[in-house]
Each structure stands twice: as C-alpha cells, then as structure tokens.
Amino acid sequence: MRDIQNETDTRKIPLQKVGVKGVRYPVTVLDKNHKEQQTTATVDLFVNLPHNFKGTHMSRFIEVFHKYHQDITMQHFLDMLEEMRKKLDAQQAFGTVSFPYFIEKKAPVSQAAGIMEYNCSFEGTVSADERKFYITIEVPVTTLCPCSKAISEYGAHNQRGKVKVKLLYSEFFWIEDIIELIEKCASSPLYSLLKRQDEKYVTEHAYDNPRFVEDVVREVYTALSKHNFKWFSVEAENEESIHFHNAYAYTEYGPSTGSGTTN
C-alpha cells in the first residue's frame, strides 16, 4: 500500500513536534501502600519531523504506548519514549502522561477514612544523547492569611489553595512522600471526610499555622532542597475567599532548564 507519510515534502519546513494528543488510556503506576494502582491517564506523545518527510505514522505512537501502559513507572517511561523515537526514525521523542492519583487518607482525630485525589503527570524528552524526565504533583491545601489574623479582633479568612511541584527525576521517590511533605508546609492538609472533632482540629490547626502563598512556596522549597533533586519548581495558588482574584507565587531550584511553569 502507498505510504504517503514517508513521501518527500518540498516545503523545507521541519516540525518540532508531531504526534497524538488527548489520548485517554488505562495505566498502572506504582503505589507505596498497595504496590500498584490502576488509573486513567490523558496522554500526549510526539516526535520531531525533519523537513523532508510529509508526515509521521500516528498509529505507531499508540502501538508503542500500549506495550507499556500496564507499567508506566518512572523507570520505564523513558524506555518507552526511546522505543518510540527509534520506531519513528526521529531525533527526539516527547511524552506527557497526566493522571489522577488516589490515596486513602484518615481524618486527624476520628481516623475516619476517605479517598483523596491528587493530579500528577510524567513528562519526558529523549534524544540520542539526552534523557530528561519530570514528575509533576499537584496537592490541594488549606491556607490561613497571616495578615487577616494579625489585624482582626477575632477570626481570619482562610481558603483552599493548590501547590504544584515539578521535579527533575534523578533517583527514585514515592509520590506519597512528596504529597506529605507539601501538606506539612501549608496551614493545614485537606481531607475528604471530617467528623466534628476533626473539623475543630483542622480549623484550629490552620489558625495556629498562618501562611501566605509566599510562605508556602518557601517552605516547600526548603523541604525539597534537603533531597537530591537537581532541579525543581514550586508554585502555589490560593482561591482567595475575600478577594475577587487569586494569590500566586513561584520559584525554581537548580540550573535553568527552560521548562517554565506547568499548566
């Protein structure tokens, strides 16, 4: 059969990325407490396309990914991209796998159990001489405003926020450990199930630990810098409860990688 994708293109315009985007697929990832966790991912897969090729073979992206979808672990992700790069005769391969990660979490006083969802993603780039892999973890938290507490005769406004870290992978770590690290840097963690005694505890705990978004970012930065990450970014955003805008802060650690903030 005629292979139009392999035919010559005469416009002399190379394409940095071509591929498939928004693929929904069941995947298996590592779980600290249960060894493995099944979840559903949104997948973007690309390679570069030299100027002389008309197109790429889209089916091969799915073919390679299907081979790995039951073991999309940190260790195997780059191997998957390398196989994709070679199969498509490309110089570079790129991939992002975004997925909800679920953890059973107990309330602080009653110990009532519920399920929390955390948005995570794996992102990688592979070429003949370079392999980079990032893990992004987004954690919902509670923050209480230090200014509001300081100037008010009683009470202080608090709100739900989200903290997102992007980590350049260098050695193995558990997603659960990073989530716990982030939650300790906020005014309070969030829970899916709280009894009245838990609600009292969480409210008072947040009041005793006021945090601006700037405080949260700096606290997370300090905690992550004690580990062996060569590069990471930290961003925090509060959905302000008394302002008609959000509050935001961002910082990076390590040499510039050109990765910027995550979306």
Side-chain angles (χ1 to χ4, degrees):
M1 298 177 69
R2 184 181 175 186
D3 188 352
I4 295 180
Q5 287 94 331
N6 270 342
E7 293 182 1
T8 301
D9 193 283
T10 59
R11 286 166 286 189
K12 297 183 179 181
I13 302 173
L15 303 179
Q16 278 69 46
K17 289 183 179 181
V18 297
V20 297
K21 191 171 184 178
V23 178
R24 296 280 288 171
Y25 227 82
V27 295
T28 301
V29 295
L30 292 180
D31 184 305
K32 185 177 182 179
N33 296 319
H34 305 287
K35 294 185 178 179
E36 293 181 345
Q37 180 176 145
Q38 282 72 47
T39 184
T40 301
T42 300
V43 184
D44 301 334
L45 301 169
F46 313 107
V47 294
N48 74 298
L49 187 70
H51 71 86
N52 54 308
F53 286 105
K54 193 170 188 67
T56 192
H57 294 83
M58 299 295 179
S59 62
R60 295 180 186 175
F61 291 97
I62 306 301
E63 183 181 9
V64 173
F65 185 77
H66 183 77
K67 178 180 175 182
Y68 286 85
H69 80 281
Q70 292 184 331
D71 190 10
I72 297 294
T73 58
M74 300 177 189
Q75 298 95 323
H76 294 163
F77 189 85
L78 294 179
D79 293 336
M80 182 265 294
L81 290 180
E82 176 63 15
E83 183 171 337
M84 190 173 298
R85 183 182 75 86
K86 290 181 177 179
K87 192 154 192 149
L88 288 156
D89 296 319
Q91 287 80 42
Q92 288 183 296
F94 314 86
T96 302
V97 176
S98 303
F99 55 93
Y101 191 76
F102 298 97
I103 298 177
E104 183 180 81
K105 190 173 181 182
K106 293 182 179 179
V109 179
S110 70
Q111 296 295 291
I115 298 294
M116 285 289 295
E117 176 186 347
Y118 302 89
N119 294 321
C120 302
S121 67
F122 296 161
E123 178 184 347
T125 304
V126 167
S127 64
D129 55 4
E130 186 177 50
R131 292 160 68 99
K132 286 186 177 180
F133 180 47
Y134 298 90
I135 301 95
T136 299
I137 304 169
E138 182 179 303
V139 180
V141 296
T142 291
T143 58
L144 184 135
C145 178
C147 180
S148 176
K149 179 179 177 179
I151 64 177
S152 301
E153 293 185 14
Y154 49 87
H157 80 82
N158 55 18
Q159 54 274 318
R160 186 189 304 172
K162 58 184 178 183
V163 181
K164 186 184 293 186
V165 299
K166 185 173 183 178
L167 309 160
L168 176 61
Y169 181 82
S170 56
E171 61 182 40
F172 180 79
F173 63 89
W174 291 105
I175 289 175
E176 291 87 341
D177 292 342
I178 301 299
I179 290 172
E180 183 179 1
L181 177 152
I182 293 170
E183 290 179 334
K184 288 179 179 179
C185 296
S187 297
S188 173
L190 291 185
Y191 302 86
S192 61
L193 175 59
L194 293 173
K195 300 293 188 179
R196 279 176 294 177
Q197 60 267 41
D198 301 309
E199 209 168 313
K200 178 180 185 298
Y201 173 88
V202 168
T203 302
E204 293 174 347
H205 183 73
Y207 190 80
D208 291 336
N209 294 277
R211 295 282 192 276
F212 291 125
V213 287
E214 298 94 331
D215 295 318
V216 175
V217 166
R218 285 170 171 149
E219 290 293 323
V220 174
Y221 180 102
T222 300
L224 288 175
S225 63
K226 296 176 182 177
H227 296 264
N228 294 321
F229 298 113
K230 295 180 180 179
W231 180 93
F232 61 78
S233 66
V234 185
E235 58 184 308
E237 183 174 354
N238 282 346
E239 298 177 355
E240 292 285 291
S241 59
I242 64 170
H243 303 105
F244 193 54
H245 59 259
N246 291 354
Y248 179 82
Y250 174 88
T251 193
E252 294 182 12
Y253 169 89
S256 175
T257 63
S259 55
T261 59
T262 54
N263 294 316

